[in-house]
Amino acid sequence: MFRVGDRGVLRASAWDRHPWLIHGFSTRATGDFLDWPDDAEIAAAFGASGFGTATLRQVHAARLVRADAPWGSTRPEADAVMTARAGVLVGVRTADCFPILLADPVTRTVAAVHAGWRGTVAGVLPNAIAGLTGALSVKRENLEAVIGPGIGACCFEVGDEVAGEFRSDFVRSGRGRPHVDLAAALKAQLVRSGVLSIRSCGHCTSCDLDRFFSHRGEHGVTGRMLSLVGIESGADE
């Protein structure tokens, strides 16, 4: 179950049980993050006063980076970012691609992943999980994953060359061009990676233009949503 909080931020209700965990997926109501505001404005929008940010120059690849402190306006080229430091909001921007937030309640480690079709094929999500387990001693079975809003199979019409990059059970064929179910492909990657707790909000960004920005639905002229996750210092479990 997901709920909409202050300023239209979408949150997974299941993560309410982790008081140390700050997270959310912005919507149109939260604002347009195509042009970056400063850290204080971002933190205020997500109810994370005092946090700094560590976000990315996304390139639709599989690279994971680690944030041991806020970066502010310095953004490395990558599509996944992890941290075990309190006070750092790690995040990704989307407008049809899927944001995936990961959290380990045992080690209090978090990550944010950006996955469009290229990143999904490149394995950005499994690579992020491998990085968490290798660099930060996270156990896969302890990880919890939340998949935010992205383009659904209903709207993600592709050419045969893109459809051919996916298993047939993630491709809907029939009349017209094929459609790819990116959310299903990402869930399958999480399962194969050993993640047991997986939640997906199920919203299609292209279908719901009143609530979300969509590159496909708005023909390339649109804003960006921001998805963030971070660790609150001193909060008890």
Side-chain angles (χ1 to χ4, degrees):
M1 182 178 176
F2 287 70
R3 58 183 173 80
V4 178
D6 294 342
R7 291 192 59 174
V9 175
L10 190 66
R11 293 185 170 92
S13 299
W15 276 3
D16 289 346
R17 72 184 188 280
H18 301 316
W20 57 272
L21 186 62
I22 298 287
H23 83 286
F25 305 93
S26 78
T27 64
R28 279 187 185 271
T30 317
D32 181 359
F33 293 95
L34 181 62
D35 296 318
W36 290 98
D38 61 26
D39 276 12
E41 186 174 340
I42 293 172
F46 282 79
S49 178
F51 278 65
T53 66
T55 55
L56 306 167
R57 290 177 57 207
Q58 296 161 193
V59 292
H60 299 277
R63 185 181 179 218
L64 166 73
V65 292
R66 177 173 173 174
D68 290 323
W71 298 327
S73 60
T74 302
R75 300 184 181 96
E77 288 191 352
D79 287 87
V81 53
M82 63 183 178
T83 191
R85 296 294 181 91
V88 182
L89 289 171
V90 295
V92 295
R93 289 193 305 180
T94 58
D96 279 341
C97 295
F98 279 89
I100 305 98
L101 303 181
L102 302 168
D104 173 18
V106 176
T107 62
R108 295 196 179 183
T109 302
V110 297
V113 180
H114 162 257
W117 77 262
R118 290 180 180 86
T120 303
V121 170
V124 62
L125 184 52
N127 190 55
I129 293 166
L132 286 164
T133 60
L136 295 175
S137 301
V138 169
K139 293 184 178 180
R140 296 167 186 261
E141 62 269 24
N142 293 333
L143 274 174
E144 300 178 6
V146 175
I147 303 173
I151 192 165
C154 48
C155 295
F156 192 37
E157 182 182 275
V158 300
D160 290 336
E161 71 284 356
V162 174
E165 298 283 350
F166 292 87
R167 280 180 6 203
S168 60
D169 49 331
F170 303 135
V171 179
R172 298 182 184 179
S173 300
R175 290 185 178 181
R177 302 175 75 191
H179 289 64
V180 169
D181 191 340
L182 277 181
L186 290 164
K187 288 177 187 177
Q189 289 182 348
L190 287 165
V191 171
R192 289 197 301 271
S193 296
V195 177
L196 303 178
S197 175
I198 303 168
R199 293 174 175 86
S200 178
C201 75
H203 293 294
C204 172
T205 47
S206 185
C207 280
D208 193 351
L209 296 180
D210 288 337
R211 185 179 294 185
F212 304 109
F213 299 111
S214 170
H215 189 270
R216 179 70 65 98
E218 296 175 278
H219 310 290
V221 183
T222 190
R224 295 293 184 274
M225 281 95 67
L226 184 60
S227 301
L228 295 170
V229 62
I231 302 159
E232 183 81 64
S233 178
D236 293 328
E237 181 61 69

